[in-house]
Amino acid sequence: MGDKRNRFIILRHDIFLLAFLVLCLCHRYIPIDVSSLWRLALLVGVYLLARFGFPYSRTLLVGVMSLWTIGEAGLALLQHAHWAGSNHPLFEVTGTFGNPAPLGGLLALGVVTVAWVLFGFGRQNRKWIVGLSAMAIVGLSYALWLTQSRAAWLAVVAGLLFLGWRQRWWQKIPSPKKSFVIVICLLLGIIGSVALYQMKKDSADGRLLIARNTLAMIAERPLMGWGTGGWDARYMHCQADYFTRHPDSPYAMLADDVGYPYNEFLYVAAEQGLVGLLLVLGLLGSLYRYRDGARSGRLEKALLTAFVTFSLFSYPLSVFPLQMTLAALLGCMRSLPLRCLVVSRGMLRIVGVLACICLVGVGAVSYTIYDKVRAGKELDRLYPYFRYNVKLMERYVPSCTDEPLEYQLALLEDAITLAPTCEWYLRLGDACRRKGDWIKAEECYRKAASMIPHRLTPKFKLFELYRETGDWENAFRMAEIVVDAPVKKEGTRVLRMKAQADAFLQKMGCSMRKKVGQFPSGTSPADLQKGHEFERFSMNYCNYDNNFSNFVGIV
């Protein structure tokens, strides 16, 4: 009679993963988004399939990674030749992604995978497989070059070095020559790093600004962090505070609305604090320290090395296909066994069926909500279920221009709570202006101006606000700032705003421009809120054409 029991082995990295998942679900800054739960269900499902499909999952991982990345590289080449459309107006090569960065990360994993196939079959003299693999590496490398992703190239180098480390050919090299090779590699690494930095210096400096502000967030709550969603909800406020304290910062012309920290470890530390960071480091340590006898175990560690390297300079955990890749990779990897549970086959089937029902049920309900909202259906009814989804809110809020003003204000407040940006504050300021809440409008415009100092629109809107309320001293001062402000990119909108501000200054009189302190003090928006009238100031000092106040431009 056959054994009707199955063994279930709990691995060390299972515990770290489970602990980190529970921490992210329970310790939150923003409540759980129901419309995104289908992603979590898929990630858990992929991990469990890879985990319990061992050892077949390892072979499947190699095949899927090779075919997927080769297909993405082919699409990138077609986009480069303008035979296929790009998904971004500013980049010709994106693959199936929204921009070149995640494509570069995926292609880096593909290069490492195909290189592993090349080395393995090269020992077996499979010349046709070696030839196809070599051709695939050339194509993948060229497509990777087209992405201009520096982080991806660093990931390729790290992954290939891990593959070659401690191989037989390396063991045969004498120690003095090994030292020489290591020194040469270090020098080449330093030279390459400097070259990559100079390749996109402004982008690199901008990321230094993001890292600096993220470290300031971590310093505020070092132990537990801000909670899941805390970085998105707090970062732009932190950037605004930085520029308020350092108005002459050289980073001012590099600032922009930021959606990613460009370093996943800083991201984890900011949201989950030291506790979450230690869980992640414990997970990686348990995987690297375990000696897997299978040859594919080296490939998995090399892929993890490439992924970790890429995550130091990019945002792979914010891109769902790369999240799926990591889930499959972790499911295929082995770590130290902690305990072996003997479970009857009947009980195992019951647990498996219940787990599948839960995952499929939650995923189906969540995806139905997500799909309806993305298609613009039943938005009002489903709003409570997607109000914590940043991407869906970015699509929904701008479409509500015909809704009552109070409803628009509530939506904008919700969007700013999730991810405050200069754009959202400008929209909220405009809505408050239409309502007549001048104090709130001024606060919003000032906040937007401090978030991105080189952006002209917030300053111009402040100028318009002061002119409308009759605060001529502040209007005159903001008009001077608009005229003299340096801008990152000068276009038609910028020229129009500067021309309107300059026309205001000319109407006020050049002689008065030098005597701002002699203007009547005017009345601030706060005074207007109390009911004061300003018509007499308008009659005495300016008869400016208010048609310009309808101008709305985003620079």
Side-chain angles (χ1 to χ4, degrees), residues 115-130:
W116 178 84
V117 174
L118 176 65
F119 296 153
F121 284 98
R123 298 192 188 98
Q124 302 175 16
N125 292 323
R126 302 282 188 89
K127 295 183 178 180
W128 66 276
I129 296 181
V130 171

Side-chain angles (χ1 to χ4, degrees), residues 433 460 463-464 467 496 499-501 503-504 507 544-552:
R433 232 165 106 190
F460 181 76
F463 155 67
E464 285 189 314
R467 191 190 65 210
R496 289 181 62 187
Q500 291 173 42
F504 174 81
K507 285 181 179 290
Y544 189 68
D545 183 3
N546 285 321
N547 289 331
F548 284 132
S549 65
N550 295 324
F551 172 73
V552 176

Side-chain angles (χ1 to χ4, degrees), residues 7-11 14 51-52 336-341:
R7 293 182 177 182
F8 175 68
I9 300 176
I10 299 176
L11 303 179
D14 292 333
R51 177 78 169 76
F52 294 109
L336 182 68
L338 296 180
R339 189 172 181 181
C340 181
L341 301 178

Side-chain angles (χ1 to χ4, degrees), residues 48 345-359:
L48 293 177
R345 292 182 182 178
M347 179 61 67
L348 188 63
R349 288 171 182 170
I350 292 174
V351 172
V353 170
L354 290 177
C356 287
I357 291 175
C358 290
L359 290 176

Side-chain angles (χ1 to χ4, degrees), residues 36-109:
S36 296
L37 287 178
W38 64 274
R39 295 176 182 268
L40 178 61
L42 270 178
L43 291 173
V44 173
V46 167
Y47 177 79
L48 293 177
L49 286 175
R51 177 78 169 76
F52 294 109
F54 181 84
Y56 303 105
S57 55
R58 287 183 154 177
T59 304
L60 186 62
L61 176 68
V62 175
V64 170
M65 282 298 302
S66 300
L67 295 177
W68 182 19
T69 53
I70 290 172
E72 289 284 355
L75 178 58
L77 295 178
L78 292 176
Q79 291 172 339
H80 179 60
H82 302 290
W83 292 349
S86 169
N87 294 328
H88 197 287
L90 301 180
F91 303 102
E92 67 174 12
V93 173
T94 61
T96 58
F97 297 91
N99 63 73
L103 173 63
L106 180 65
L107 293 179
L109 300 179

Side-chain angles (χ1 to χ4, degrees), residues 14-35:
D14 292 333
I15 303 300
F16 281 113
L17 269 178
L18 180 61
F20 185 73
L21 178 62
V22 171
L23 179 65
C24 291
L25 290 175
C26 297
H27 178 50
R28 306 187 65 85
Y29 188 91
I30 300 297
I32 292 177
D33 171 42
V34 177
S35 65

